[in-house]
Amino acid sequence: MMSRPRPSVPKGRLGKTMGCLGCLQLVLGVLVIIVSTLSLFRFYSAGFLSNDGDICRHFYGTKDVSGFDINALSARVGEVLDKMANLQEKLESVVRQLEKNKDLAKADIPRSEYKKFLEEEVIQPLYSAHIGLRQIRLPKVEGIRNSTLKEEPLINSFVVEEIRKYITPKENKNGNVNIYGIERVYNTIGHSCILLKKELEEYMDYDIGSYCKDDWPLAQKLMINGCDPVPRRRCLTRASKLYKKPYPINESLWKLPDGGNVRWANYKCRNFECLSSKNPKRGFVKCTGCFEMDKEKLKWVGNATLPVDVLIKDVLAIKPGEIRIGLDFGIGTGTFAARMREQNVTIISTALNLGAPFSETIALRGLVPLYMTLNQRLPFFDNTLDLIHTTGFMDGWIDLQLMDFILFDWDRVLRPGGLLWVDRFFCSRKDLDDYMYMFLQFRYKKHKWALSPKSKDEVFLSAVLEKPPRSL
């Protein structure tokens, strides 16, 4: 077969093409110079080119700079410069090939290919370098409350923006101390252990094979502040000297456990009677009556008094026989799980010992406590749970981006057709639209959606939402 002759390109077009590439090279060269100059100016103004060598003092005005990672920051700068150098080298190589290619005069360059070349080989690398430059964070003199840094120093160890957003501590929306007793929530990938070096070393300082110190609050502090999972230890856990076997399951669900089965040393109270809602010095504020079984028995089964009240029987009626396993994400002594157990539904309850023995109480009632914080990825596989219930814990103090990460994780573990039961979530009226969007963004089917005033400035929201199939 005879080869089809290629259409020739007029010399004028070739000249225009070469002219465009030449102009493009000139423009990119100027951009490289500008970006490089701005980078040098930025680091000069920050003190990186100072002769005195005490760069960190320029940042802080103090010698306390233990948290800042110069090597990580230098690596980020090097990445940006490498991207710009690679882009310039690639463009120069293309221009050289065009100059040497004698067949160019016989070829026609389609507009779509020229556009694709600009987008993939020029614009995207240039944009990536630009974003990389903007993401380089320098510590500031002014700090956040008690911190000496404007942001966490280890953020510059990571390049991908989503990781950086994830590990950036999320400040409480109302600016107050949250339920954990901290001002910010640290999502966990283990990096925060570097910032808690003293506490972590104290936690791991023990005699191998002997009894561990009664230091579970230290481990919990590490978890809450993002150093999680904490290391395993080779020491023996202490137990109460008065420990007795727990009550049988037909009694334990609605009977307060024996106080001798709890180690009380790290609580303000030394017995369950002290944890009564009548005692203002009991050591915690959330779940005021959750150690009083006569009050707990009324939850989720009594008559609804507000539009936001949802009963267990109404939720189970949405999916008869389909709700078998689930998670109760909140704070309490396992009453929701106890009620669901009566309906042959297995519920795991998240629990931290925030001022009282919540985890021990849940277990002594014959239920399953999951000792984890709000900043952890749920330890369940994708599409496995029938139900997630949350109440009294994740309220209007929570940062919106942190809430976004949490809800996407809940969505991950809920099976198609699974239910998300948001129970009496409350926030300020001015923030309501933001929080409602967070719940509605997944386009779940609404089975229940109700609002009710909590106070003059706050409002309750309850919802029962069904995850869509999303078949691929």
PDB file of all heavy atoms in Angstrom, residues 102-118:
ATOM      1  N   LYS A 102      13.645  17.890  11.491  1.00  0.00           N
ATOM      2  CA  LYS A 102      13.479  18.436  10.149  1.00  0.00           C
ATOM      3  C   LYS A 102      12.109  18.109   9.568  1.00  0.00           C
ATOM      4  O   LYS A 102      11.684  18.733   8.591  1.00  0.00           O
ATOM      5  CB  LYS A 102      14.567  17.888   9.236  1.00  0.00           C
ATOM      6  CG  LYS A 102      15.969  18.291   9.661  1.00  0.00           C
ATOM      7  CD  LYS A 102      16.999  17.713   8.714  1.00  0.00           C
ATOM      8  CE  LYS A 102      18.415  18.117   9.145  1.00  0.00           C
ATOM      9  NZ  LYS A 102      19.448  17.552   8.254  1.00  0.00           N
ATOM     10  N   ASP A 103      11.424  17.106  10.159  1.00  0.00           N
ATOM     11  CA  ASP A 103      10.113  16.729   9.645  1.00  0.00           C
ATOM     12  C   ASP A 103       9.012  17.644  10.148  1.00  0.00           C
ATOM     13  O   ASP A 103       7.844  17.476   9.791  1.00  0.00           O
ATOM     14  CB  ASP A 103       9.775  15.296  10.067  1.00  0.00           C
ATOM     15  CG  ASP A 103      10.698  14.294   9.391  1.00  0.00           C
ATOM     16  OD1 ASP A 103      11.202  14.634   8.293  1.00  0.00           O
ATOM     17  OD2 ASP A 103      10.909  13.208   9.957  1.00  0.00           O
ATOM     18  N   LEU A 104       9.354  18.600  10.992  1.00  0.00           N
ATOM     19  CA  LEU A 104       8.337  19.493  11.518  1.00  0.00           C
ATOM     20  C   LEU A 104       7.643  20.250  10.410  1.00  0.00           C
ATOM     21  O   LEU A 104       6.435  20.499  10.455  1.00  0.00           O
ATOM     22  CB  LEU A 104       8.972  20.471  12.522  1.00  0.00           C
ATOM     23  CG  LEU A 104       7.995  21.483  13.152  1.00  0.00           C
ATOM     24  CD1 LEU A 104       6.963  20.760  13.991  1.00  0.00           C
ATOM     25  CD2 LEU A 104       8.743  22.506  13.978  1.00  0.00           C
ATOM     26  N   ALA A 105       8.401  20.602   9.363  1.00  0.00           N
ATOM     27  CA  ALA A 105       7.808  21.359   8.271  1.00  0.00           C
ATOM     28  C   ALA A 105       6.757  20.545   7.531  1.00  0.00           C
ATOM     29  O   ALA A 105       5.917  21.091   6.822  1.00  0.00           O
ATOM     30  CB  ALA A 105       8.906  21.799   7.299  1.00  0.00           C
ATOM     31  N   LYS A 106       6.831  19.198   7.668  1.00  0.00           N
ATOM     32  CA  LYS A 106       5.872  18.343   6.976  1.00  0.00           C
ATOM     33  C   LYS A 106       4.725  17.909   7.875  1.00  0.00           C
ATOM     34  O   LYS A 106       3.877  17.127   7.468  1.00  0.00           O
ATOM     35  CB  LYS A 106       6.585  17.093   6.452  1.00  0.00           C
ATOM     36  CG  LYS A 106       7.723  17.398   5.491  1.00  0.00           C
ATOM     37  CD  LYS A 106       8.400  16.115   5.078  1.00  0.00           C
ATOM     38  CE  LYS A 106       9.566  16.409   4.136  1.00  0.00           C
ATOM     39  NZ  LYS A 106      10.264  15.172   3.725  1.00  0.00           N
ATOM     40  N   ALA A 107       4.729  18.350   9.100  1.00  0.00           N
ATOM     41  CA  ALA A 107       3.707  17.914  10.052  1.00  0.00           C
ATOM     42  C   ALA A 107       2.827  19.072  10.479  1.00  0.00           C
ATOM     43  O   ALA A 107       3.275  20.212  10.556  1.00  0.00           O
ATOM     44  CB  ALA A 107       4.364  17.293  11.273  1.00  0.00           C
ATOM     45  N   ASP A 108       1.603  18.735  10.699  1.00  0.00           N
ATOM     46  CA  ASP A 108       0.661  19.728  11.189  1.00  0.00           C
ATOM     47  C   ASP A 108       0.354  19.411  12.649  1.00  0.00           C
ATOM     48  O   ASP A 108       0.018  18.279  12.983  1.00  0.00           O
ATOM     49  CB  ASP A 108      -0.623  19.677  10.365  1.00  0.00           C
ATOM     50  CG  ASP A 108      -1.550  20.832  10.704  1.00  0.00           C
ATOM     51  OD1 ASP A 108      -1.123  21.706  11.478  1.00  0.00           O
ATOM     52  OD2 ASP A 108      -2.691  20.843  10.209  1.00  0.00           O
ATOM     53  N   ILE A 109       0.490  20.370  13.544  1.00  0.00           N
ATOM     54  CA  ILE A 109       0.248  20.162  14.972  1.00  0.00           C
ATOM     55  C   ILE A 109      -1.200  20.539  15.269  1.00  0.00           C
ATOM     56  O   ILE A 109      -1.557  21.722  15.208  1.00  0.00           O
ATOM     57  CB  ILE A 109       1.194  21.022  15.840  1.00  0.00           C
ATOM     58  CG1 ILE A 109       2.643  20.713  15.501  1.00  0.00           C
ATOM     59  CG2 ILE A 109       0.927  20.772  17.324  1.00  0.00           C
ATOM     60  CD1 ILE A 109       3.643  21.561  16.254  1.00  0.00           C
ATOM     61  N   PRO A 110      -2.057  19.545  15.569  1.00  0.00           N
ATOM     62  CA  PRO A 110      -3.448  19.870  15.871  1.00  0.00           C
ATOM     63  C   PRO A 110      -3.558  20.769  17.094  1.00  0.00           C
ATOM     64  O   PRO A 110      -2.740  20.688  18.025  1.00  0.00           O
ATOM     65  CB  PRO A 110      -4.076  18.492  16.141  1.00  0.00           C
ATOM     66  CG  PRO A 110      -3.146  17.506  15.517  1.00  0.00           C
ATOM     67  CD  PRO A 110      -1.787  18.106  15.630  1.00  0.00           C
ATOM     68  N   ARG A 111      -4.555  21.594  17.110  1.00  0.00           N
ATOM     69  CA  ARG A 111      -4.770  22.511  18.228  1.00  0.00           C
ATOM     70  C   ARG A 111      -4.979  21.736  19.539  1.00  0.00           C
ATOM     71  O   ARG A 111      -4.506  22.147  20.597  1.00  0.00           O
ATOM     72  CB  ARG A 111      -5.980  23.393  17.937  1.00  0.00           C
ATOM     73  CG  ARG A 111      -6.226  24.471  19.003  1.00  0.00           C
ATOM     74  CD  ARG A 111      -7.493  25.239  18.684  1.00  0.00           C
ATOM     75  NE  ARG A 111      -7.369  25.936  17.420  1.00  0.00           N
ATOM     76  CZ  ARG A 111      -6.881  27.183  17.297  1.00  0.00           C
ATOM     77  NH1 ARG A 111      -6.481  27.830  18.381  1.00  0.00           N
ATOM     78  NH2 ARG A 111      -6.804  27.762  16.119  1.00  0.00           N
ATOM     79  N   SER A 112      -5.690  20.576  19.477  1.00  0.00           N
ATOM     80  CA  SER A 112      -5.968  19.806  20.702  1.00  0.00           C
ATOM     81  C   SER A 112      -4.677  19.261  21.315  1.00  0.00           C
ATOM     82  O   SER A 112      -4.521  19.247  22.539  1.00  0.00           O
ATOM     83  CB  SER A 112      -6.922  18.658  20.386  1.00  0.00           C
ATOM     84  OG  SER A 112      -6.362  17.794  19.420  1.00  0.00           O
ATOM     85  N   GLU A 113      -3.727  18.803  20.454  1.00  0.00           N
ATOM     86  CA  GLU A 113      -2.465  18.289  20.974  1.00  0.00           C
ATOM     87  C   GLU A 113      -1.634  19.404  21.578  1.00  0.00           C
ATOM     88  O   GLU A 113      -0.959  19.220  22.591  1.00  0.00           O
ATOM     89  CB  GLU A 113      -1.684  17.588  19.864  1.00  0.00           C
ATOM     90  CG  GLU A 113      -2.304  16.283  19.409  1.00  0.00           C
ATOM     91  CD  GLU A 113      -1.402  15.539  18.450  1.00  0.00           C
ATOM     92  OE1 GLU A 113      -0.208  15.901  18.362  1.00  0.00           O
ATOM     93  OE2 GLU A 113      -1.884  14.595  17.794  1.00  0.00           O
ATOM     94  N   TYR A 114      -1.650  20.565  20.946  1.00  0.00           N
ATOM     95  CA  TYR A 114      -0.907  21.710  21.469  1.00  0.00           C
ATOM     96  C   TYR A 114      -1.472  22.120  22.835  1.00  0.00           C
ATOM     97  O   TYR A 114      -0.739  22.388  23.787  1.00  0.00           O
ATOM     98  CB  TYR A 114      -0.991  22.853  20.474  1.00  0.00           C
ATOM     99  CG  TYR A 114      -0.173  24.065  20.842  1.00  0.00           C
ATOM    100  CD1 TYR A 114       1.219  23.989  20.954  1.00  0.00           C
ATOM    101  CD2 TYR A 114      -0.782  25.297  21.095  1.00  0.00           C
ATOM    102  CE1 TYR A 114       1.969  25.088  21.293  1.00  0.00           C
ATOM    103  CE2 TYR A 114      -0.033  26.407  21.438  1.00  0.00           C
ATOM    104  CZ  TYR A 114       1.348  26.302  21.533  1.00  0.00           C
ATOM    105  OH  TYR A 114       2.087  27.388  21.878  1.00  0.00           O
ATOM    106  N   LYS A 115      -2.820  22.110  22.947  1.00  0.00           N
ATOM    107  CA  LYS A 115      -3.483  22.452  24.204  1.00  0.00           C
ATOM    108  C   LYS A 115      -3.139  21.428  25.280  1.00  0.00           C
ATOM    109  O   LYS A 115      -2.858  21.778  26.425  1.00  0.00           O
ATOM    110  CB  LYS A 115      -4.994  22.507  23.978  1.00  0.00           C
ATOM    111  CG  LYS A 115      -5.818  22.812  25.236  1.00  0.00           C
ATOM    112  CD  LYS A 115      -7.285  22.957  24.858  1.00  0.00           C
ATOM    113  CE  LYS A 115      -8.151  23.205  26.088  1.00  0.00           C
ATOM    114  NZ  LYS A 115      -8.239  22.021  26.951  1.00  0.00           N
ATOM    115  N   LYS A 116      -3.146  20.124  24.890  1.00  0.00           N
ATOM    116  CA  LYS A 116      -2.826  19.068  25.837  1.00  0.00           C
ATOM    117  C   LYS A 116      -1.397  19.197  26.341  1.00  0.00           C
ATOM    118  O   LYS A 116      -1.115  19.003  27.530  1.00  0.00           O
ATOM    119  CB  LYS A 116      -3.041  17.706  25.181  1.00  0.00           C
ATOM    120  CG  LYS A 116      -2.794  16.528  26.111  1.00  0.00           C
ATOM    121  CD  LYS A 116      -3.040  15.206  25.389  1.00  0.00           C
ATOM    122  CE  LYS A 116      -2.782  14.019  26.319  1.00  0.00           C
ATOM    123  NZ  LYS A 116      -2.989  12.729  25.622  1.00  0.00           N
ATOM    124  N   PHE A 117      -0.487  19.532  25.435  1.00  0.00           N
ATOM    125  CA  PHE A 117       0.910  19.712  25.820  1.00  0.00           C
ATOM    126  C   PHE A 117       1.048  20.828  26.849  1.00  0.00           C
ATOM    127  O   PHE A 117       1.738  20.694  27.866  1.00  0.00           O
ATOM    128  CB  PHE A 117       1.745  20.031  24.578  1.00  0.00           C
ATOM    129  CG  PHE A 117       3.158  20.462  24.912  1.00  0.00           C
ATOM    130  CD1 PHE A 117       4.120  19.533  25.260  1.00  0.00           C
ATOM    131  CD2 PHE A 117       3.515  21.802  24.890  1.00  0.00           C
ATOM    132  CE1 PHE A 117       5.416  19.925  25.574  1.00  0.00           C
ATOM    133  CE2 PHE A 117       4.791  22.209  25.194  1.00  0.00           C
ATOM    134  CZ  PHE A 117       5.757  21.267  25.542  1.00  0.00           C
ATOM    135  N   LEU A 118       0.379  21.953  26.585  1.00  0.00           N
ATOM    136  CA  LEU A 118       0.471  23.078  27.514  1.00  0.00           C
ATOM    137  C   LEU A 118      -0.096  22.714  28.885  1.00  0.00           C
ATOM    138  O   LEU A 118       0.472  23.065  29.931  1.00  0.00           O
ATOM    139  CB  LEU A 118      -0.268  24.285  26.944  1.00  0.00           C
ATOM    140  CG  LEU A 118       0.363  24.970  25.719  1.00  0.00           C
ATOM    141  CD1 LEU A 118      -0.522  26.104  25.250  1.00  0.00           C
ATOM    142  CD2 LEU A 118       1.750  25.481  26.043  1.00  0.00           C
TER     143      LEU A 118
END
